[in-house]
Amino acid sequence: MIVTLKDGSKKEYEQSMSVYEIALDISEGLARAACAGEVNGEVVDLRTVVDQDCELSILTAGDEKGLAALRHTTSHVLAEAVKRLFPEAKLAIGPSIATGFYYDFDHAPFSREDLDNLEKEMKKIIKEGAKLEKFTLPRTEAIKFMEERQEPYKVELIRDLPEDAEISFYRQGEFVDLCAGPHLMSTKGIKAFKLTSSSGAYWRGNEKNKMLARIYGTAFQKKEELNAYLTQVEEAKKRDHNKLGREMELFTTVDVIGQGLPLLMPKGVTIVKELQRWIEDLEDNEWGYVRTKTPLMAKSDLYKISGHWDHYKDGMFVLGDEEKDKEVFALRPMTCPFQYYVYKATPHSYRDLPIRYGETSTLFRNEDSGEMHGLTRVRQFTISEGHLIVRPDQMVAEFKGCLALAKYCLETLGVEDQVTYHLSKWDPENKEKYIGDPEVWEQTEGHIRNILTELGVEFTEDVGEAAFYGPKVDINAKNVYGKEDTMITIQWDALLAEQFDMYYVDENGEKKRPYIIHRTSIGCYERTLAWLIETYAGKFPTWLCPEQVRVLPISEKYREYAEKVNAEIRKNGIRTSVDNRAEKIGYKIREARLAKVPYMLVVGAKEEEDEVVSVRSRYLGDEGQKKLEEFIDAISKEIRTKEIRKIEVEE
């Protein structure tokens, strides 16, 4: 057989060889570093036997997929350590993830001391250097095997597999785990790891199931890589919006109010208000949108017409019981059906289209409790929602316009380099999840693919991520911990106009169905606020800062002049305050920096006499004395143009 390697070179073998044996034949160093293999594009275990011509890549920890195998093996070492120190713990699942790995256990929560002890035990296991050996059992024997080991979660997983399945296991010394692999050849291949945290997690992500104890960790090939990652994580914690947003008094949460229902505090409201006013003015004045205001709830009849009742009911807050009540209502998870009836209230000609409806919509979605996090995943949120009713011949141009608007918003906020674009498609293997014929789906997905390609947008295609009524472009970004969230969505809908009997009259006097674009320009305001907190570590561009200027009198004698300066600044629509406390000026400056105020104006005898202010900023530090009018003109321009200035001063 002929094996074509990653560099294009070829190896010829007379007999079958495992991936590991081929790596060893290439070089001992490669075999020592090998974590997995990739045969004809499929990731395989090092023990996999190659018996025919193929393309083969030997994956090391320098490859993403090889690193995943290293981390997966580390999760097994963790599981063995837990079983040694806590024999009563029951094993659940332990996959590799983008940042490392985790393992879930049916056990009491683990403390930091527990994690430290587990790390010590893991080092012992690694030093023992047990080989990982793969074996398989028929389903019936596999169930019995795990029942005898008293691992009920593993038994449940096996029972979910087909009756004729061969179930694979990996053994390392006395420890055995249900697993499909791939894995390292032995535990000695693990060079650098760390258990980072512990939390609760529902079995199979379902809040109706038991809460398990999850241990998170990470692993790398080299200690230097691990240390660099841990340093990065510590920096991420400083930017974590859930921590920083509370410290800055932007938002809070209260148990008696409910999970996923954050309270925006005055400073947070100021930022959201600025964003909302900007978006509404931008859409209405420059992009031709018209405003609607629609109810927060509707009868179930509305959602049955749209299809949400059949396809999205579990994600809605339903008010009432269909078996007992004459009318059942639900809080709206989206605005589209409401705006359709705004459209239907008036007859429309082909000349009227496109009509672009915009609404700052408060929506409600019944997220699982395990999914909620700060401002990024909540049960009530506000969104820059819009629906464009267009003729089919206008669809491509209008879809491009929605992409252009989204891109402009991202650029203005200074986050355009953080996003990735995704074509979210239907899953033809699960047609019951969607409405419409396959031909319509293939056609609409093709249109979006062509648009993105024509615009030169790099994108990936994600099967099964479409809305039930149409494909979409999802613009995603990662938080400081690497978790990806959708920030902006633009959906192509060629189906719901039929559901709602929407039409326009064409040039021949005939009724025609319009197409619909569902889109956001900035997305969810709460999630955007979280994104901006983490992007700027709380040091927002001046136009978004809750407090843009703080006037600092050197002593009580200059309070009157400070108030005069403050009043003049405020007259120009700038958010300003005076620190009149009987504190030293150095202390006041430090306090203003901690509050992340972009500009401080120090005033004393010299400033009052010359009617100037001494400007200190987080951009240039001490900017010297300026006429108040000069300062106001400069900051007003910065706010008006939404300038993003580079921060140069270390604080």
Side-chain angles (χ1 to χ4, degrees), residues 67 101 385:
L67 183 59
F101 61 88
E385 196 164 16

Side-chain angles (χ1 to χ4, degrees), residues 569-589:
I569 296 171
R570 189 180 297 275
K571 275 169 38 180
N572 287 270
I574 299 164
R575 293 185 288 276
T576 180
S577 68
V578 180
D579 186 345
N580 277 320
R581 294 175 298 170
E583 301 285 356
K584 292 182 178 179
I585 191 64
Y587 178 83
K588 291 182 180 182
I589 291 172

Side-chain angles (χ1 to χ4, degrees), residues 68-81:
L70 167 67
R71 290 169 167 174
H72 194 181
T73 303
T74 313
S75 79
H76 277 224
V77 173
L78 166 61
E80 181 177 0

